[in-house]
């Protein structure tokens, strides 16, 4: 299941960035499961990685290689079908072996290769299959294969996810293209699911990382499907530097905004395709004292199994929303000041059922596929949103059947 | 669904405590839904209440009355079918009206009456029905009606829950009897679901509260069905003082142990009857530096939807357990030291799949109804357990159908 239609966009190719796809037969024969992304010499890479203490072998190596300054082109190697997580020392050796395969093929130092894996946890990575398939991925590197790459990184996703933008900054066209994957084990924590984004803009490396981190905090770090943080999350931003050179404060702000728009689209695409999702829900918390407080309430509501099953049942069960707000751990919360809306229907005023509320109005909102739960805390002026899906029978079926 | 058989025990009557049951027709005509408990003059009452900021009207009034010193007998009035939560000022007035009904009937001050409600959130309490039924509950007060009272406080529970003990302390028999209810919206936070416990022991009031709070922390505060903390939780301990007078340190320790045993039995009975539960699971975290740390890891694993669906599927999915441990927020966790067992089968050693592990052995454990997940952190010497159930299709069905 997935919420609404969400076709892939027309991708703008990014000067200096090429993508190669092939089938290594990692989990299923014939499946396109191996993606190689090349960033030309001179590219900058910004990155965020999972904060899960059990971070997977490829994440550990990608982090290390990313921190090493190398000349020449950079390569991202991504496989699906196997997460290479919980695999101990062997896992690290296996991830390194695939990096060495790319290094040899491309005549670059091994530190130029960042590995990424997604799929089942705890199985040994089939290194031979990957090494065997690499030359084909390298041979078909092409700037126009974003669609194929989006398909090549899917796991339990029911559809590929991508976004692409062209914005005018300082009179020059700046292009951004990105792909993401993920449907379950989704509550990225200061990191994200797998997402790969590229731009042709030229930016100072430190500024690029700052803009990237800020955008991730406002997009991927505000979604949850099931409150579980993956071992393999990573979000990579390549700036090839072959296009507009952005330096002024105004230009950087414009770029930040474009980057946030793109990342939010990719993050929301993950929620819309959340495992078993039948609803796409924004939980917007207003009148909070701090962003942290707003997010705390937002995530408590978004992760409540009782709120999520009520959403699935199209039941305007405001009592469960109220109970979740009440247990979110906000100090000295005055519950008699709280207002809650479902889209435009006020369901709670001053901490109790709104006088104007009718079951019929609530029920009408709940029939919709996209719902906004708006919670006003009457404490301050800060607001923040998180995005989530519902908890359906299919979520249970998928995770009782699939071995992640 | 519920895990295993769990018949009610033979209840020891408690000198000084009587229970009356009747049908007020709150949600369904004919259902026994109103319970009155009388504690004779001289009784002490210890209590813990929900920490949910949206605590229900009856909880607010019960707290206030509990803090008032009154002479004479005390009364607990408990209704099921309606939680009187999220009902604003009207809810407070309604709860007070039922207290006044009891006060008038029993010729006691209104502060002697503590109200408790459980059931649907946000509906007005049918005060008239309750007032009409009260005389019958009062008329049939009897020390031998624990079974009927356990049935009279059920909501989505599939069976009544109770425990009863007689222990010898200082050569005297001390009796403890208790009942509890709850199946969903269960992660009591420094409080509990509805539970009513009585003893004939005589204890100093401050000591009684201290022993009660400690027992609650080790029992009701260590269970979770779905991570949601109810608006109406309360756990009440009545000491009628008509039996043994406990004063020595050794006597108090013996009483503390008996109380913990009883409360843990009641708390575990709630988990065994967790909504849609097919498994009863202990998550035992060992070698932690603090109890807080052990509980943090325990609850993260116990609340993970991915771990819970794997339990439902009888899938020994150690990768999901490992991922949950990794995101539990333990600072400087060395994942390469971690060991995990399912009952006696070692599944993870030194952070990766155990060499001795076979799918067959894992699968055999997972077929069982009762499973112990043991996680050794290799950081310290403290251990603590939490108890939980699995996440099944029936949990979704129950909560998509039932309006809590």
């Amino acid at each position: 299941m997935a919420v609404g239609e969400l076709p892939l966009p027309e991708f703008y190719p990014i000067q200096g960035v090429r993508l190669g796809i092939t089938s290594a037969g990692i989990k299923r024969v014939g499946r396109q499961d191996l993606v190689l992304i090349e960033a030309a010499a001179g590219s900058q890479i910004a990155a965020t990685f999972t904060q899960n203490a059990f971070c997977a072998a490829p994440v550990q190596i990608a982090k290390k290689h990313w921190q090493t300054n190398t000349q020449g082109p950079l390569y991202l190697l991504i496989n699906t079908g196997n997460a290479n997580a919980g695999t101990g020392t062997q896992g690290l050796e296996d991830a390194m072996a695939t990096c060495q395969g790319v290094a040899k093929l491309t005549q670059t130092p091994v530190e130029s290769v960042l590995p990424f894996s997604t799929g089942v946890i705890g199985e040994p990575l089939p290194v031979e299959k990957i090494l065997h398939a690499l030359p084909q991925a390298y041979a078909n590197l092409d700037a126009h294969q974003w669609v194929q790459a989006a398909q090549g990184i899917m796991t339990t996703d029911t559809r590929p996810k991508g976004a692409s933008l062209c914005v005018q900054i300082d009179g020059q066209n700046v292009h951004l293209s990105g792909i993401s994957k993920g449907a379950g084990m989704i509550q990225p924590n200061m990191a994200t699911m797998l997402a790969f984004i590229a731009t042709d803009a030229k930016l100072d490396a430190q500024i690029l990382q700052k803009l990237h981190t800020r955008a991730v905090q406002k997009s991927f770090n505000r979604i949850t499907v099931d409150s579980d943080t993956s071992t393999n999350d990573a979000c990579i931003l390549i700036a090839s530097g072959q296009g507009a050179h952005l330096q002024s404060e105004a230009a950087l702000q414009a770029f930040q905004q474009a980057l946030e728009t793109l990342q939010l689209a990719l993050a929301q695409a993950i929620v819309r395709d959340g495992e078993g999702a039948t609803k796409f829900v924004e939980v917007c918390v207003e009148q909070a004292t701090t962003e942290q407080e707003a997010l705390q309430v937002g995530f408590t509501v978004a992760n409540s199994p009782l709120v999520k099953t009520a959403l699935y049942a199209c039941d305007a069960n405001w009592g469960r929303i109220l109970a979740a707000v009440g247990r979110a751990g906000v100090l000295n919360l005055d519950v008699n000041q709280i207002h809650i809306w479902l889209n435009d229907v006020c369901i709670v005023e001053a901490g109790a059922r709104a006088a104007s509320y009718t079951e019929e109005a609530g029920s009408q909102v709940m029939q919709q596929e996209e719902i906004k739960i708006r919670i006003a805390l009457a404490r301050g002026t800060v607001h923040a949103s998180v995005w989530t899906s519902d908890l359906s029978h299919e979520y249970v079926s998928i995770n009782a059947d699939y071995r992640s």
Side-chain angles (χ1 to χ4, degrees), chain A residues 3 279-284 310-312 314-315 341-343 362 364-374 386-388:
Chain A
V3 183
K279 297 260 190 273
F280 175 75
V281 183
E282 176 179 354
V283 182
C284 175
L311 285 164
Y312 172 50
C314 299
D315 175 10
W341 293 261
L342 291 178
N343 289 356
Q364 216 158 30
V365 171
M366 295 300 286
Q367 299 301 325
Q368 295 170 36
E369 272 195 348
E370 307 213 355
I371 295 168
K372 181 171 181 172
I373 301 174
R374 196 151 60 87
V386 304
W387 289 270
T388 191

PDB file of all heavy atoms in Angstrom, chain A residues 3 279-284 310-312 314-315 341-343 362 364-374 386-388:
ATOM      1  N   VAL A   3       0.260   5.886  -0.098  1.00  0.00           N
ATOM      2  CA  VAL A   3      -0.746   6.940  -0.110  1.00  0.00           C
ATOM      3  C   VAL A   3      -0.615   7.788  -1.365  1.00  0.00           C
ATOM      4  O   VAL A   3       0.419   8.414  -1.598  1.00  0.00           O
ATOM      5  CB  VAL A   3      -0.626   7.831   1.141  1.00  0.00           C
ATOM      6  CG1 VAL A   3      -1.725   8.880   1.136  1.00  0.00           C
ATOM      7  CG2 VAL A   3      -0.679   6.984   2.390  1.00  0.00           C
ATOM      8  N   LYS A 279      -2.682   6.316   5.036  1.00  0.00           N
ATOM      9  CA  LYS A 279      -2.851   7.751   5.296  1.00  0.00           C
ATOM     10  C   LYS A 279      -1.485   8.442   5.345  1.00  0.00           C
ATOM     11  O   LYS A 279      -0.500   7.859   5.799  1.00  0.00           O
ATOM     12  CB  LYS A 279      -3.513   7.971   6.677  1.00  0.00           C
ATOM     13  CG  LYS A 279      -4.916   7.419   6.805  1.00  0.00           C
ATOM     14  CD  LYS A 279      -5.934   8.520   6.629  1.00  0.00           C
ATOM     15  CE  LYS A 279      -7.331   8.047   6.999  1.00  0.00           C
ATOM     16  NZ  LYS A 279      -8.020   7.411   5.858  1.00  0.00           N
ATOM     17  N   PHE A 280      -1.481   9.709   4.914  1.00  0.00           N
ATOM     18  CA  PHE A 280      -0.305  10.561   5.028  1.00  0.00           C
ATOM     19  C   PHE A 280      -0.683  11.687   5.976  1.00  0.00           C
ATOM     20  O   PHE A 280      -1.608  12.452   5.702  1.00  0.00           O
ATOM     21  CB  PHE A 280       0.085  11.102   3.649  1.00  0.00           C
ATOM     22  CG  PHE A 280       1.215  12.094   3.689  1.00  0.00           C
ATOM     23  CD1 PHE A 280       2.520  11.670   3.883  1.00  0.00           C
ATOM     24  CD2 PHE A 280       0.967  13.457   3.530  1.00  0.00           C
ATOM     25  CE1 PHE A 280       3.571  12.592   3.913  1.00  0.00           C
ATOM     26  CE2 PHE A 280       2.012  14.378   3.558  1.00  0.00           C
ATOM     27  CZ  PHE A 280       3.311  13.943   3.747  1.00  0.00           C
ATOM     28  N   VAL A 281       0.001  11.763   7.112  1.00  0.00           N
ATOM     29  CA  VAL A 281      -0.461  12.635   8.193  1.00  0.00           C
ATOM     30  C   VAL A 281       0.621  13.626   8.619  1.00  0.00           C
ATOM     31  O   VAL A 281       1.755  13.234   8.902  1.00  0.00           O
ATOM     32  CB  VAL A 281      -0.860  11.788   9.427  1.00  0.00           C
ATOM     33  CG1 VAL A 281      -1.403  12.678  10.541  1.00  0.00           C
ATOM     34  CG2 VAL A 281      -1.879  10.729   9.034  1.00  0.00           C
ATOM     35  N   GLU A 282       0.263  14.897   8.644  1.00  0.00           N
ATOM     36  CA  GLU A 282       1.144  15.918   9.212  1.00  0.00           C
ATOM     37  C   GLU A 282       0.675  16.203  10.631  1.00  0.00           C
ATOM     38  O   GLU A 282      -0.509  16.465  10.862  1.00  0.00           O
ATOM     39  CB  GLU A 282       1.087  17.200   8.379  1.00  0.00           C
ATOM     40  CG  GLU A 282       1.912  18.328   8.985  1.00  0.00           C
ATOM     41  CD  GLU A 282       1.891  19.608   8.155  1.00  0.00           C
ATOM     42  OE1 GLU A 282       1.325  19.599   7.043  1.00  0.00           O
ATOM     43  OE2 GLU A 282       2.440  20.616   8.639  1.00  0.00           O
ATOM     44  N   VAL A 283       1.599  16.120  11.586  1.00  0.00           N
ATOM     45  CA  VAL A 283       1.274  16.538  12.956  1.00  0.00           C
ATOM     46  C   VAL A 283       1.992  17.861  13.187  1.00  0.00           C
ATOM     47  O   VAL A 283       3.220  17.908  13.256  1.00  0.00           O
ATOM     48  CB  VAL A 283       1.723  15.503  14.003  1.00  0.00           C
ATOM     49  CG1 VAL A 283       1.312  15.968  15.407  1.00  0.00           C
ATOM     50  CG2 VAL A 283       1.143  14.136  13.702  1.00  0.00           C
ATOM     51  N   CYS A 284       1.217  18.934  13.225  1.00  0.00           N
ATOM     52  CA  CYS A 284       1.778  20.278  13.354  1.00  0.00           C
ATOM     53  C   CYS A 284       1.524  20.780  14.772  1.00  0.00           C
ATOM     54  O   CYS A 284       0.374  20.899  15.187  1.00  0.00           O
ATOM     55  CB  CYS A 284       1.132  21.192  12.322  1.00  0.00           C
ATOM     56  SG  CYS A 284       1.660  22.888  12.493  1.00  0.00           S
ATOM     57  N   ALA A 310      -6.264   4.444  15.060  1.00  0.00           N
ATOM     58  CA  ALA A 310      -7.472   5.261  14.868  1.00  0.00           C
ATOM     59  C   ALA A 310      -7.453   5.913  13.485  1.00  0.00           C
ATOM     60  O   ALA A 310      -8.482   5.970  12.797  1.00  0.00           O
ATOM     61  CB  ALA A 310      -7.579   6.327  15.956  1.00  0.00           C
ATOM     62  N   LEU A 311      -6.279   6.379  13.046  1.00  0.00           N
ATOM     63  CA  LEU A 311      -6.154   6.957  11.699  1.00  0.00           C
ATOM     64  C   LEU A 311      -6.502   5.912  10.647  1.00  0.00           C
ATOM     65  O   LEU A 311      -7.228   6.177   9.691  1.00  0.00           O
ATOM     66  CB  LEU A 311      -4.731   7.483  11.481  1.00  0.00           C
ATOM     67  CG  LEU A 311      -4.400   8.790  12.205  1.00  0.00           C
ATOM     68  CD1 LEU A 311      -2.892   9.016  12.248  1.00  0.00           C
ATOM     69  CD2 LEU A 311      -5.092   9.970  11.522  1.00  0.00           C
ATOM     70  N   TYR A 312      -5.978   4.705  10.860  1.00  0.00           N
ATOM     71  CA  TYR A 312      -6.257   3.609   9.935  1.00  0.00           C
ATOM     72  C   TYR A 312      -7.756   3.344   9.851  1.00  0.00           C
ATOM     73  O   TYR A 312      -8.312   3.094   8.775  1.00  0.00           O
ATOM     74  CB  TYR A 312      -5.509   2.360  10.413  1.00  0.00           C
ATOM     75  CG  TYR A 312      -5.819   1.095   9.681  1.00  0.00           C
ATOM     76  CD1 TYR A 312      -5.782   1.032   8.285  1.00  0.00           C
ATOM     77  CD2 TYR A 312      -6.133  -0.073  10.381  1.00  0.00           C
ATOM     78  CE1 TYR A 312      -6.056  -0.157   7.625  1.00  0.00           C
ATOM     79  CE2 TYR A 312      -6.404  -1.259   9.726  1.00  0.00           C
ATOM     80  CZ  TYR A 312      -6.376  -1.297   8.347  1.00  0.00           C
ATOM     81  OH  TYR A 312      -6.640  -2.463   7.697  1.00  0.00           O
ATOM     82  N   CYS A 314     -10.091   5.452  10.255  1.00  0.00           N
ATOM     83  CA  CYS A 314     -10.836   6.675   9.919  1.00  0.00           C
ATOM     84  C   CYS A 314     -11.694   7.130  11.104  1.00  0.00           C
ATOM     85  O   CYS A 314     -12.803   7.632  10.926  1.00  0.00           O
ATOM     86  CB  CYS A 314     -11.720   6.489   8.689  1.00  0.00           C
ATOM     87  SG  CYS A 314     -10.792   6.070   7.211  1.00  0.00           S
ATOM     88  N   ASP A 315     -11.170   6.937  12.317  1.00  0.00           N
ATOM     89  CA  ASP A 315     -11.904   7.269  13.538  1.00  0.00           C
ATOM     90  C   ASP A 315     -11.322   8.563  14.120  1.00  0.00           C
ATOM     91  O   ASP A 315     -10.150   8.614  14.471  1.00  0.00           O
ATOM     92  CB  ASP A 315     -11.735   6.104  14.532  1.00  0.00           C
ATOM     93  CG  ASP A 315     -12.357   6.394  15.891  1.00  0.00           C
ATOM     94  OD1 ASP A 315     -13.085   7.394  16.020  1.00  0.00           O
ATOM     95  OD2 ASP A 315     -12.096   5.603  16.826  1.00  0.00           O
ATOM     96  N   TRP A 341      -7.034  20.612  16.067  1.00  0.00           N
ATOM     97  CA  TRP A 341      -7.834  20.585  14.842  1.00  0.00           C
ATOM     98  C   TRP A 341      -7.476  19.373  13.987  1.00  0.00           C
ATOM     99  O   TRP A 341      -6.320  18.961  13.954  1.00  0.00           O
ATOM    100  CB  TRP A 341      -7.570  21.822  13.981  1.00  0.00           C
ATOM    101  CG  TRP A 341      -8.027  23.119  14.551  1.00  0.00           C
ATOM    102  CD1 TRP A 341      -9.179  23.807  14.254  1.00  0.00           C
ATOM    103  CD2 TRP A 341      -7.329  23.948  15.500  1.00  0.00           C
ATOM    104  NE1 TRP A 341      -9.236  24.981  14.962  1.00  0.00           N
ATOM    105  CE2 TRP A 341      -8.114  25.093  15.745  1.00  0.00           C
ATOM    106  CE3 TRP A 341      -6.117  23.824  16.191  1.00  0.00           C
ATOM    107  CZ2 TRP A 341      -7.736  26.106  16.621  1.00  0.00           C
ATOM    108  CZ3 TRP A 341      -5.725  24.831  17.070  1.00  0.00           C
ATOM    109  CH2 TRP A 341      -6.534  25.946  17.278  1.00  0.00           C
ATOM    110  N   LEU A 342      -8.459  18.802  13.305  1.00  0.00           N
ATOM    111  CA  LEU A 342      -8.212  17.859  12.204  1.00  0.00           C
ATOM    112  C   LEU A 342      -8.529  18.634  10.929  1.00  0.00           C
ATOM    113  O   LEU A 342      -9.690  19.005  10.710  1.00  0.00           O
ATOM    114  CB  LEU A 342      -9.140  16.656  12.298  1.00  0.00           C
ATOM    115  CG  LEU A 342      -8.906  15.686  13.452  1.00  0.00           C
ATOM    116  CD1 LEU A 342      -9.956  14.578  13.423  1.00  0.00           C
ATOM    117  CD2 LEU A 342      -7.518  15.073  13.382  1.00  0.00           C
ATOM    118  N   ASN A 343      -7.512  18.885  10.118  1.00  0.00           N
ATOM    119  CA  ASN A 343      -7.663  19.844   9.007  1.00  0.00           C
ATOM    120  C   ASN A 343      -8.309  21.111   9.559  1.00  0.00           C
ATOM    121  O   ASN A 343      -7.748  21.707  10.469  1.00  0.00           O
ATOM    122  CB  ASN A 343      -8.451  19.233   7.848  1.00  0.00           C
ATOM    123  CG  ASN A 343      -7.621  18.154   7.134  1.00  0.00           C
ATOM    124  OD1 ASN A 343      -6.462  17.939   7.455  1.00  0.00           O
ATOM    125  ND2 ASN A 343      -8.215  17.468   6.176  1.00  0.00           N
ATOM    126  N   GLY A 362     -15.986  15.297  11.982  1.00  0.00           N
ATOM    127  CA  GLY A 362     -14.746  14.576  12.244  1.00  0.00           C
ATOM    128  C   GLY A 362     -14.585  13.402  11.305  1.00  0.00           C
ATOM    129  O   GLY A 362     -13.521  13.174  10.730  1.00  0.00           O
ATOM    130  N   GLN A 364     -15.841  13.006   8.376  1.00  0.00           N
ATOM    131  CA  GLN A 364     -15.601  13.457   7.002  1.00  0.00           C
ATOM    132  C   GLN A 364     -14.105  13.715   6.750  1.00  0.00           C
ATOM    133  O   GLN A 364     -13.563  13.323   5.722  1.00  0.00           O
ATOM    134  CB  GLN A 364     -16.394  14.731   6.745  1.00  0.00           C
ATOM    135  CG  GLN A 364     -16.930  14.821   5.337  1.00  0.00           C
ATOM    136  CD  GLN A 364     -18.116  15.795   5.293  1.00  0.00           C
ATOM    137  OE1 GLN A 364     -18.184  16.745   6.062  1.00  0.00           O
ATOM    138  NE2 GLN A 364     -19.043  15.543   4.385  1.00  0.00           N
ATOM    139  N   VAL A 365     -13.461  14.360   7.722  1.00  0.00           N
ATOM    140  CA  VAL A 365     -12.023  14.621   7.591  1.00  0.00           C
ATOM    141  C   VAL A 365     -11.258  13.309   7.548  1.00  0.00           C
ATOM    142  O   VAL A 365     -10.342  13.121   6.740  1.00  0.00           O
ATOM    143  CB  VAL A 365     -11.509  15.459   8.783  1.00  0.00           C
ATOM    144  CG1 VAL A 365      -9.988  15.531   8.756  1.00  0.00           C
ATOM    145  CG2 VAL A 365     -12.101  16.842   8.763  1.00  0.00           C
ATOM    146  N   MET A 366     -11.626  12.385   8.414  1.00  0.00           N
ATOM    147  CA  MET A 366     -10.860  11.156   8.569  1.00  0.00           C
ATOM    148  C   MET A 366     -10.937  10.243   7.345  1.00  0.00           C
ATOM    149  O   MET A 366     -10.121   9.352   7.178  1.00  0.00           O
ATOM    150  CB  MET A 366     -11.323  10.390   9.810  1.00  0.00           C
ATOM    151  CG  MET A 366     -11.049  11.114  11.107  1.00  0.00           C
ATOM    152  SD  MET A 366      -9.283  11.439  11.388  1.00  0.00           S
ATOM    153  CE  MET A 366      -8.724   9.801  11.811  1.00  0.00           C
ATOM    154  N   GLN A 367     -11.957  10.447   6.504  1.00  0.00           N
ATOM    155  CA  GLN A 367     -12.059   9.659   5.280  1.00  0.00           C
ATOM    156  C   GLN A 367     -10.957  10.013   4.286  1.00  0.00           C
ATOM    157  O   GLN A 367     -10.656   9.246   3.386  1.00  0.00           O
ATOM    158  CB  GLN A 367     -13.422   9.881   4.590  1.00  0.00           C
ATOM    159  CG  GLN A 367     -14.626   9.482   5.427  1.00  0.00           C
ATOM    160  CD  GLN A 367     -14.604   8.010   5.824  1.00  0.00           C
ATOM    161  OE1 GLN A 367     -14.163   7.167   5.064  1.00  0.00           O
ATOM    162  NE2 GLN A 367     -15.038   7.724   7.043  1.00  0.00           N
ATOM    163  N   GLN A 368     -10.385  11.213   4.441  1.00  0.00           N
ATOM    164  CA  GLN A 368      -9.399  11.679   3.465  1.00  0.00           C
ATOM    165  C   GLN A 368      -8.068  10.950   3.614  1.00  0.00           C
ATOM    166  O   GLN A 368      -7.728  10.459   4.687  1.00  0.00           O
ATOM    167  CB  GLN A 368      -9.225  13.196   3.606  1.00  0.00           C
ATOM    168  CG  GLN A 368     -10.508  13.951   3.253  1.00  0.00           C
ATOM    169  CD  GLN A 368     -10.446  15.418   3.617  1.00  0.00           C
ATOM    170  OE1 GLN A 368      -9.403  16.035   3.515  1.00  0.00           O
ATOM    171  NE2 GLN A 368     -11.569  15.961   4.065  1.00  0.00           N
ATOM    172  N   GLU A 369      -7.311  10.896   2.524  1.00  0.00           N
ATOM    173  CA  GLU A 369      -6.018  10.219   2.565  1.00  0.00           C
ATOM    174  C   GLU A 369      -4.936  11.067   3.224  1.00  0.00           C
ATOM    175  O   GLU A 369      -3.954  10.541   3.724  1.00  0.00           O
ATOM    176  CB  GLU A 369      -5.560   9.878   1.137  1.00  0.00           C
ATOM    177  CG  GLU A 369      -6.050   8.544   0.642  1.00  0.00           C
ATOM    178  CD  GLU A 369      -5.274   8.115  -0.588  1.00  0.00           C
ATOM    179  OE1 GLU A 369      -4.526   8.935  -1.174  1.00  0.00           O
ATOM    180  OE2 GLU A 369      -5.424   6.957  -0.981  1.00  0.00           O
ATOM    181  N   GLU A 370      -5.109  12.381   3.162  1.00  0.00           N
ATOM    182  CA  GLU A 370      -4.098  13.280   3.722  1.00  0.00           C
ATOM    183  C   GLU A 370      -4.737  14.106   4.828  1.00  0.00           C
ATOM    184  O   GLU A 370      -5.734  14.789   4.606  1.00  0.00           O
ATOM    185  CB  GLU A 370      -3.542  14.195   2.636  1.00  0.00           C
ATOM    186  CG  GLU A 370      -3.052  13.398   1.438  1.00  0.00           C
ATOM    187  CD  GLU A 370      -1.867  14.014   0.737  1.00  0.00           C
ATOM    188  OE1 GLU A 370      -1.462  15.128   1.129  1.00  0.00           O
ATOM    189  OE2 GLU A 370      -1.350  13.378  -0.193  1.00  0.00           O
ATOM    190  N   ILE A 371      -4.176  14.012   6.010  1.00  0.00           N
ATOM    191  CA  ILE A 371      -4.784  14.644   7.177  1.00  0.00           C
ATOM    192  C   ILE A 371      -3.739  15.465   7.922  1.00  0.00           C
ATOM    193  O   ILE A 371      -2.592  15.040   8.066  1.00  0.00           O
ATOM    194  CB  ILE A 371      -5.378  13.566   8.112  1.00  0.00           C
ATOM    195  CG1 ILE A 371      -6.536  12.856   7.411  1.00  0.00           C
ATOM    196  CG2 ILE A 371      -5.856  14.180   9.433  1.00  0.00           C
ATOM    197  CD1 ILE A 371      -6.991  11.604   8.104  1.00  0.00           C
ATOM    198  N   LYS A 372      -4.172  16.646   8.368  1.00  0.00           N
ATOM    199  CA  LYS A 372      -3.280  17.475   9.181  1.00  0.00           C
ATOM    200  C   LYS A 372      -3.853  17.556  10.593  1.00  0.00           C
ATOM    201  O   LYS A 372      -4.980  18.008  10.791  1.00  0.00           O
ATOM    202  CB  LYS A 372      -3.168  18.873   8.581  1.00  0.00           C
ATOM    203  CG  LYS A 372      -2.236  19.797   9.345  1.00  0.00           C
ATOM    204  CD  LYS A 372      -2.009  21.096   8.570  1.00  0.00           C
ATOM    205  CE  LYS A 372      -1.044  22.024   9.318  1.00  0.00           C
ATOM    206  NZ  LYS A 372      -0.683  23.184   8.477  1.00  0.00           N
ATOM    207  N   ILE A 373      -3.085  17.073  11.555  1.00  0.00           N
ATOM    208  CA  ILE A 373      -3.474  17.210  12.963  1.00  0.00           C
ATOM    209  C   ILE A 373      -2.735  18.432  13.499  1.00  0.00           C
ATOM    210  O   ILE A 373      -1.505  18.463  13.504  1.00  0.00           O
ATOM    211  CB  ILE A 373      -3.065  15.973  13.787  1.00  0.00           C
ATOM    212  CG1 ILE A 373      -3.719  14.704  13.219  1.00  0.00           C
ATOM    213  CG2 ILE A 373      -3.421  16.156  15.259  1.00  0.00           C
ATOM    214  CD1 ILE A 373      -3.254  13.413  13.895  1.00  0.00           C
ATOM    215  N   ARG A 374      -3.489  19.456  13.915  1.00  0.00           N
ATOM    216  CA  ARG A 374      -2.859  20.696  14.370  1.00  0.00           C
ATOM    217  C   ARG A 374      -3.121  20.825  15.862  1.00  0.00           C
ATOM    218  O   ARG A 374      -4.255  20.756  16.312  1.00  0.00           O
ATOM    219  CB  ARG A 374      -3.466  21.874  13.601  1.00  0.00           C
ATOM    220  CG  ARG A 374      -2.686  23.158  13.670  1.00  0.00           C
ATOM    221  CD  ARG A 374      -2.917  23.986  12.398  1.00  0.00           C
ATOM    222  NE  ARG A 374      -4.314  24.334  12.211  1.00  0.00           N
ATOM    223  CZ  ARG A 374      -4.898  25.417  12.752  1.00  0.00           C
ATOM    224  NH1 ARG A 374      -4.212  26.249  13.504  1.00  0.00           N
ATOM    225  NH2 ARG A 374      -6.173  25.660  12.534  1.00  0.00           N
ATOM    226  N   VAL A 386       5.843  17.210  12.131  1.00  0.00           N
ATOM    227  CA  VAL A 386       6.431  15.927  11.768  1.00  0.00           C
ATOM    228  C   VAL A 386       5.414  15.217  10.875  1.00  0.00           C
ATOM    229  O   VAL A 386       4.231  15.546  10.902  1.00  0.00           O
ATOM    230  CB  VAL A 386       6.785  15.061  12.999  1.00  0.00           C
ATOM    231  CG1 VAL A 386       7.713  15.793  13.940  1.00  0.00           C
ATOM    232  CG2 VAL A 386       5.537  14.628  13.735  1.00  0.00           C
ATOM    233  N   TRP A 387       5.886  14.265  10.084  1.00  0.00           N
ATOM    234  CA  TRP A 387       5.019  13.571   9.144  1.00  0.00           C
ATOM    235  C   TRP A 387       5.036  12.077   9.425  1.00  0.00           C
ATOM    236  O   TRP A 387       6.093  11.508   9.709  1.00  0.00           O
ATOM    237  CB  TRP A 387       5.485  13.854   7.710  1.00  0.00           C
ATOM    238  CG  TRP A 387       5.207  15.259   7.302  1.00  0.00           C
ATOM    239  CD1 TRP A 387       4.081  15.736   6.692  1.00  0.00           C
ATOM    240  CD2 TRP A 387       6.057  16.406   7.491  1.00  0.00           C
ATOM    241  NE1 TRP A 387       4.169  17.102   6.488  1.00  0.00           N
ATOM    242  CE2 TRP A 387       5.364  17.537   6.979  1.00  0.00           C
ATOM    243  CE3 TRP A 387       7.326  16.605   8.060  1.00  0.00           C
ATOM    244  CZ2 TRP A 387       5.905  18.828   7.013  1.00  0.00           C
ATOM    245  CZ3 TRP A 387       7.865  17.884   8.088  1.00  0.00           C
ATOM    246  CH2 TRP A 387       7.158  18.971   7.570  1.00  0.00           C
ATOM    247  N   THR A 388       3.885  11.460   9.325  1.00  0.00           N
ATOM    248  CA  THR A 388       3.817  10.042   9.644  1.00  0.00           C
ATOM    249  C   THR A 388       2.726   9.357   8.837  1.00  0.00           C
ATOM    250  O   THR A 388       1.961  10.006   8.120  1.00  0.00           O
ATOM    251  CB  THR A 388       3.584   9.826  11.166  1.00  0.00           C
ATOM    252  OG1 THR A 388       3.788   8.453  11.483  1.00  0.00           O
ATOM    253  CG2 THR A 388       2.160  10.219  11.559  1.00  0.00           C
TER     254      THR A 388
END
